[in-house]
Amino acid sequence: MDDAELKMQFLYALRSRGVTNAAVLTAMERVDRAPFIKGYFAERAYEDMPLPIACGQTISQPSVVGLMTQALEVTARDTVLEVGTGSGYQAAILSQLARRVYTVDRHRRLVREAREVFEALGLTNVTAFTADGSFGLPDQAPFDRILVTAAAEDPPGPLLAQLKVGGIMVLPVGQSDAVQHLIRVRRTEDGLDYDELRPVRFVPLVEGVARDA
Ligand code: SAH
């Protein structure tokens, strides 16, 4: 199968799994997933599968990336925080839709490699930091949108505090070895509204910056 056919099949898989938002599909058509996957698995970039990346982490399944992005209702004026840079793929998709994207990971190596891919692809509105994302990014806060791509038992308090009124946060909650649910939180004038979107499976949100390189 040639590249064009693989890409057609990729977009078809996204649509059939519920990614229907035209802007999200366009972003996913534009940003090639292969550069975010190093080595052997790069040739499987167009499959709708999570794949292993460095530091024992995973790049999410594309349809899950699409569904999460869609649930976040990103607009072109938004400043977005992503917690869990991983490969940088999700941040790159967000960079097509938002004004500004900040992404943080606890693994220095993942942040370094994601920065290299952003630069190679000419994505200038996305900045990656090494930090414990449970505390958000106080210097860049508040955010219009927050996306967490690692599972916490509860939405971290500092992230809720860094969400603007009218803002939306999407995150998986639940224990790492049990069923997790994708949750959407909206901050209104009066407080927080929660809705549960679908069952998911993510690596856990881990405390602290990793000690490896
Ligand atoms: N969004 C990524 C996939 C994320 S995998 C992509 O598109 O490829 C989850 C990531 O969350 C891992 O890279 C892991 O290192 C990171 N992570 C886990 N706990 C964290 C924390 N407390 N702060 C920042 N990153 C964290």
Side-chain angles (χ1 to χ4, degrees), residues 9-19 25 28 48 62-63:
Q9 220 174 54
F10 177 73
L11 291 166
Y12 179 77
L14 293 176
R15 280 198 200 90
S16 69
R17 295 188 172 130
V19 184
L25 285 166
M28 294 187 76
D48 191 26
S63 56

Side-chain angles (χ1 to χ4, degrees), residues 110-211:
L110 294 175
V111 168
R112 197 170 57 234
E113 291 182 355
R115 280 183 185 146
E116 286 168 11
V117 185
F118 299 151
E119 203 178 316
L121 298 183
L123 305 177
T124 53
N125 66 337
V126 44
T127 311
F129 295 102
T130 305
D132 181 346
S134 322
F135 299 100
L137 275 181
D139 291 347
Q140 279 73 29
F143 301 100
D144 301 289
R145 301 288 185 267
I146 300 177
L147 182 62
V148 186
T149 63
E153 284 183 32
D154 293 298
L159 295 182
L160 292 172
Q162 290 173 24
L163 191 59
K164 284 186 196 172
V165 171
I168 299 175
M169 169 155 77
V170 171
L171 76 165
V173 294
Q175 261 144 19
S176 58
D177 51 355
V179 179
Q180 305 159 358
H181 284 95
L182 198 63
I183 301 288
R184 177 164 50 198
V185 186
R186 291 176 197 267
R187 179 174 288 289
T188 66
E189 297 281 355
D190 309 321
L192 298 166
D193 284 347
Y194 290 83
D195 61 308
E196 195 176 294
L197 304 174
R198 67 196 299 273
V200 282
R201 191 168 180 86
F202 277 86
V203 298
L205 194 70
V206 177
E207 246 177 60
V209 169
R211 293 156 65 95

Side-chain angles (χ1 to χ4, degrees), residues 36 51 53-60 65 82-92 103-107 110 129-135 147-151 202-210:
F36 296 92
L51 294 168
I53 56 170
C55 305
Q57 305 301 316
T58 46
I59 179 171
S60 310
V65 170
E82 181 200 21
V83 175
T85 310
S87 67
Y89 178 64
Q90 171 75 74
T103 179
V104 299
D105 204 284
R106 59 188 294 278
H107 286 284
L110 294 175
F129 295 102
T130 305
D132 181 346
S134 322
F135 299 100
L147 182 62
V148 186
T149 63
F202 277 86
V203 298
L205 194 70
V206 177
E207 246 177 60
V209 169

